[in-house]
Amino acid sequence: MTDQQWRSLQAGLRSLADDTSEGTASPAVERALKAALSVRQERGVPLAWRWAMAASLAAAGVLGVFVLRSGSPGKAGLASRPALEDSVEAYTPWFVQRGGIGPVRGQVVRMRVSRGTAAAFGVRGVGYSTDAAVEADVFIGDDGIMRAIRFVR
Amino acid sequence: MTPPEGQTGTDAAETRLVRLLNEGNREAFGVLFGRYQAALYRFALRMSGSPAVADDVVQDVFLDLIRGKHGYRPELGPLRPFLYGMARNLVRQSMKDVAEEPGEDGRAGDGADPLAGLNRAELTGRVREGVLSLPVHYREAIVLCDLEEMSYEQASQALGCAVGTVRSRLSRGREMLLGKLREVRCMI
């Protein structure tokens, strides 16, 4: 490699480095990790479930995000969302974290989780697909903490 | 408290942070995520060319760290190269490119400058394509040393190989990159 070639290549590499120097992970990554962390923090929840949920959150393909109205997702929030209320029978009840959700804002994220995760909640026979995953709605507070989950039948 | 032998004060502090993170400590997560996520994202992006892959890599690295899955062992080295090592493995898993041996097309060839006369955007685009087309061993060396500006020693820790290996891969990778750039230029 001649000096001229090397200088030229260096300039090109520097240009590429500058072009990607501002890169940062998307906010969704931090949210998912905080949710996984909150699962880790939970006490009294079976360890297997915590890991299953953390893994699910990490591997989940997010199918859709629905922003909730303010208030508790128990009644004022989740239950009153028209988009999801239309087919109540299509879901299991919400499984809410110990101690309740509290008046928080957040998002419901549709994702695919393993059947093992559903089984950890005592939910069996959910979903109609033959693959190993089932769909679930996970309520994640704006603080990144996972508050509740329900499974699509 | 005195850090364990071989560890600096910074290393010891990070070891404590990792332990706290394993216990679910949100502040520890905030510190470590803030310190390393951007660098890991850039590394994965430069290796894969895909923002989605880069996001996945960052998420999986930190998820494993939270879970203690791969058991960071401070006595084996600082946290930074450990995280890069995890990211590197995840990037490799995400890529179909398993070619490890350079082909004959990667030679630098004659003395012509394949990047002469290009504007900045063209230059960046060509070099990006060239880097992404390199076999993974050479791409890693170029991304870590030329783009991340790591020292040979830091890169060798991240790659788990000798410093001399990093040097030779870097040298060969640059030659191949130049050859690929010339190839592209000749086709235009």
Side-chain angles (χ1 to χ4, degrees), chain B residues 10 15 26 50 57 67 73 113 130 133 148 176 180 182:
Chain B
T10 306
T15 301
R26 296 176 71 81
S50 164
V57 166
R67 296 165 61 177
R73 292 169 62 192
D113 182 355
S133 71
E148 298 288 316
M176 291 179 69
K180 285 175 181 293
R182 176 174 298 106

Side-chain angles (χ1 to χ4, degrees), chain B residues 40-81:
Chain B
L40 294 172
Y41 178 88
R42 283 197 307 270
F43 169 71
L45 179 65
R46 288 165 172 170
M47 282 296 296
S48 68
S50 164
V53 168
D55 266 351
D56 286 349
V57 166
V58 171
Q59 183 162 307
D60 287 350
V61 165
F62 277 94
L63 192 66
D64 282 356
L65 200 61
I66 289 168
R67 296 165 61 177
K69 188 178 174 186
H70 291 117
Y72 168 58
R73 292 169 62 192
E75 67 273 19
L76 297 182
L79 181 62
R80 184 172 186 242

Side-chain angles (χ1 to χ4, degrees), chain A residues 47-100:
Chain A
L47 190 63
W49 144 239
R50 294 207 299 265
W51 291 144
M53 195 61 224
S56 300
L57 284 167
V62 176
L63 304 178
V65 176
F66 310 91
V67 179
L68 296 179
R69 287 193 285 269
S70 60
S72 163
K75 294 202 181 302
L78 301 182
S80 61
R81 281 186 304 118
L84 298 177
E85 192 181 35
D86 292 343
S87 53
V88 170
E89 297 80 10
Y91 304 96
T92 66
W94 282 95
F95 295 88
V96 177
Q97 70 168 19
R98 178 174 296 189

Side-chain angles (χ1 to χ4, degrees), chain A residues 31 53 57 60-68 78 81 84 94 106-113 135-140 148-150:
Chain A
R31 276 202 302 275
M53 195 61 224
L57 284 167
V62 176
L63 304 178
V65 176
F66 310 91
V67 179
L68 296 179
L78 301 182
R81 281 186 304 118
L84 298 177
W94 282 95
Q107 295 177 334
V108 172
V109 180
R110 172 68 57 87
M111 56 180 57
R112 295 177 73 78
V113 300
E135 291 185 354
D137 292 334
V138 177
F139 176 69
I140 300 173
I149 187 171
R150 72 177 178 183

Side-chain angles (χ1 to χ4, degrees), chain B residues 121-182:
Chain B
E122 288 172 331
L123 180 67
T124 304
R126 294 277 167 75
V127 175
R128 177 185 289 114
E129 287 168 18
V131 169
L132 290 174
S133 71
L134 291 174
V136 69
H137 273 160
Y138 304 106
R139 195 185 322 167
E140 285 171 343
I142 284 183
V143 167
L144 291 177
C145 295
D146 285 339
L147 302 182
E148 298 288 316
E149 298 183 341
M150 278 189 186
S151 66
Y152 293 140
E153 188 168 15
Q154 288 171 325
S156 75
Q157 285 179 320
L159 297 175
C161 64
V163 170
T165 306
V166 173
R167 283 178 191 272
S168 63
R169 285 180 188 173
L170 187 59
S171 173
R172 182 73 184 121
R174 287 169 177 166
E175 290 282 346
M176 291 179 69
L177 180 56
L178 201 60
K180 285 175 181 293
L181 292 169
R182 176 174 298 106

Side-chain angles (χ1 to χ4, degrees), chain A residues 5 15 19-20 24 40, chain B residues 22 26 37 46 124 128 182:
Chain A
Q5 285 177 328
S15 173
D19 193 56
T20 48
T24 185
R40 178 113 180 126
Chain B
N22 291 156
R26 296 176 71 81
Q37 66 90 11
R46 288 165 172 170
T124 304
R128 177 185 289 114
R182 176 174 298 106

